[in-house]
Amino acid sequence: MASTEDVKTSESAVSKIVNLAEEAKLASEGVKAPSSHALLSIGKSLVAGGIAGGVSRTAVAPLERLKILLQVQNPHSIKYNGTIQGLKYIWRTEGFRGLFKGNGTNCARIVPNSAVKFFSYEEASKGILWLHRRQSGNEDAELTPLLRLGAGACAGIIAMSATYPMDMVRGRLTVQTEKSPRQYRGIAHALSTVLKEEGPRALYRGWLPSVIGVVPYVGLNFAVYESLKDWLIKSKTFGLVDENNELGVTTRLACGAAAGTVGQTVAYPLDVIRRRMQMVGWKDAASVVTGDGKSKASLEYTGMVDAFRKTVRHEGFGALYKGLVPNSVKVVPSIAIAFVTYELVKDVLGVEMRISD
């Protein structure tokens, strides 16, 4: 159960988001309605973002599952002790299917999440650029890295909040094994069970550290990627720009990898705390979380600050980075593939991405 302080902070954050949305609505009253061509472009952007998210997550599903297992496993009953050992243990005890457990749920969540995130970023970028040009009086002004960070953060908060209940149950589905006392049978069953036994607030357990983590993670991903692309195109460094003044797939892949590395390193402790908070209140929890036999039960947390404090006190500062190695191996190709797939699909669909004056 989240603490009162966390709940108040969460409600305040939601209120701010709602207020910003209302202000944006009022500010757009003078803007003409989008044409059918614009709506088609928006639809294509959503499709491209959804495909990018599904492809990238499926490609690294075994590492994603191992990361979560390392983050939440009971410290008194260690089963997964590193990337190679962990993958071998999953293969030995659960077989090939075990490596991809939870991937279907993850794809069901990440496809709409990625679609909304990419679309929201482009729309937020257009709005921020319009305001920036009006305030500066320069119709040729471009987005700065700081403004891109703001657009990326807005996109991340919107997408994450819209799909958070699915992420919460996805975390539990991912860590349960055949030895778990009780099995969730899928997304719908997990959502209904949590709602019935733990209440609606449980579906947003860990939401606050997720929101805080959005700023460095998603924001820096977008800002670093877009800034690297622009710098390489304008400076024409190393001859990476082709005759059409565009970067090749390999170069864009490298830009996405650099962006993912920066974002995940800064935000990782918040991701660990989020996953641990999601396990709180789980009746008949998976043995990975509770431990086996004489092992002590997993810790209970009253909120984000309490989770940080107990994690560091009982397991040391290094516990905040459990699973960082498989996540580092995972996030670089995952983010890179997501960005490149998005742009390739966008090009195939003929999406017009230029920001009009």
Side-chain angles (χ1 to χ4, degrees):
M1 188 67 67
S3 65
T4 303
E5 180 182 356
D6 284 351
V7 173
K8 288 181 178 178
T9 305
S10 301
E11 291 175 348
S12 177
V14 172
S15 298
K16 289 181 180 178
I17 294 172
V18 172
N19 291 336
L20 287 172
E22 290 298 325
E23 291 176 9
K25 181 180 179 181
L26 292 174
S28 64
E29 285 182 348
V31 181
K32 61 182 179 180
S35 63
S36 58
H37 175 74
L39 292 175
L40 179 61
S41 179
I42 289 172
K44 289 179 179 179
S45 294
L46 287 170
V47 171
I51 293 175
V55 171
S56 64
R57 290 300 176 127
T58 300
V60 296
L63 291 167
E64 171 68 12
R65 187 184 182 217
L66 177 61
K67 179 201 75 171
I68 296 176
L69 289 168
L70 288 168
Q71 286 177 331
V72 303
Q73 74 173 337
N74 190 294
H76 304 286
S77 180
I78 301 296
K79 297 178 180 178
Y80 309 93
N81 190 24
T83 305
I84 302 301
Q85 182 274 337
L87 291 173
K88 287 182 177 179
Y89 185 81
I90 294 174
W91 177 274
R92 186 173 67 252
T93 58
E94 302 180 63
F96 178 77
R97 292 182 61 184
L99 294 171
F100 290 87
K101 183 169 289 185
N103 184 54
T105 309
N106 192 25
C107 286
R109 179 194 69 86
I110 204 63
V111 168
N113 180 279
S114 294
V116 174
K117 183 170 63 179
F118 278 100
F119 169 69
S120 298
Y121 174 72
E122 291 184 358
E123 293 305 304
S125 296
K126 292 178 182 178
I128 291 174
L129 180 59
W130 179 78
L131 290 173
H132 179 54
R133 286 176 174 175
R134 285 200 57 173
Q135 292 180 352
S136 65
N138 180 9
E139 291 300 318
D140 296 322
E142 297 294 335
L143 289 176
T144 64
L146 183 60
L147 292 177
R148 286 190 178 123
L149 176 63
C154 289
I157 290 173
I158 293 170
M160 181 275 299
S161 298
T163 60
Y164 192 82
M166 294 179 69
D167 179 69
M168 188 272 185
V169 298
R170 195 265 296 192
R172 293 191 178 185
L173 284 165
T174 299
V175 302
Q176 73 178 9
T177 65
E178 294 180 356
K179 296 181 179 179
S180 299
R182 186 176 57 175
Q183 301 283 326
Y184 291 129
R185 297 190 296 271
I187 302 176
H189 180 246
L191 284 169
S192 62
T193 301
V194 173
L195 191 63
K196 179 181 178 181
E197 296 184 352
E198 303 174 47
R201 288 174 61 185
L203 293 174
Y204 279 87
R205 216 172 260 140
W207 181 84
L208 181 57
S210 297
V211 170
I212 297 174
V214 159
V215 176
Y217 184 64
V218 178
L220 286 175
N221 277 345
F222 280 111
V224 173
Y225 178 76
E226 294 289 347
S227 297
L228 274 175
K229 264 197 359 176
D230 287 351
W231 176 73
L232 288 172
I233 290 174
K234 290 178 180 178
S235 64
K236 301 187 185 300
T237 305
F238 309 121
L240 298 174
V241 181
D242 60 23
E243 61 274 9
N244 297 320
N245 203 36
E246 294 289 340
L247 296 175
V249 173
T250 302
T251 304
R252 281 183 282 173
L253 186 68
C255 290
T261 300
V262 173
Q264 67 93 18
T265 300
V266 174
Y268 195 77
L270 287 162
D271 187 57
V272 172
I273 295 303
R274 170 180 66 127
R275 287 296 174 203
R276 293 191 169 202
M277 290 180 69
Q278 289 176 347
M279 303 299 142
V280 172
W282 186 1
K283 184 180 179 181
D284 296 326
S287 58
V288 174
V289 179
T290 60
D292 295 320
K294 299 179 180 179
S295 302
K296 297 180 181 179
S298 58
L299 293 170
E300 295 289 315
Y301 308 116
T302 59
M304 182 183 71
V305 175
D306 184 57
F308 267 109
R309 184 172 58 248
K310 287 181 177 177
T311 297
V312 174
R313 179 194 302 166
H314 295 282
E315 302 175 56
F317 183 77
L320 296 175
Y321 288 90
K322 285 186 174 181
L324 180 62
V325 173
N327 190 62
S328 297
V329 176
K330 170 191 75 69
V331 79
V332 171
S334 176
I335 297 297
I337 291 171
F339 276 113
V340 174
T341 303
Y342 175 68
E343 294 206 348
L344 289 176
V345 174
K346 184 180 67 179
D347 291 341
V348 170
L349 295 175
V351 181
E352 176 60 51
M353 302 308 299
R354 291 182 181 177
I355 300 174
S356 59
D357 293 338

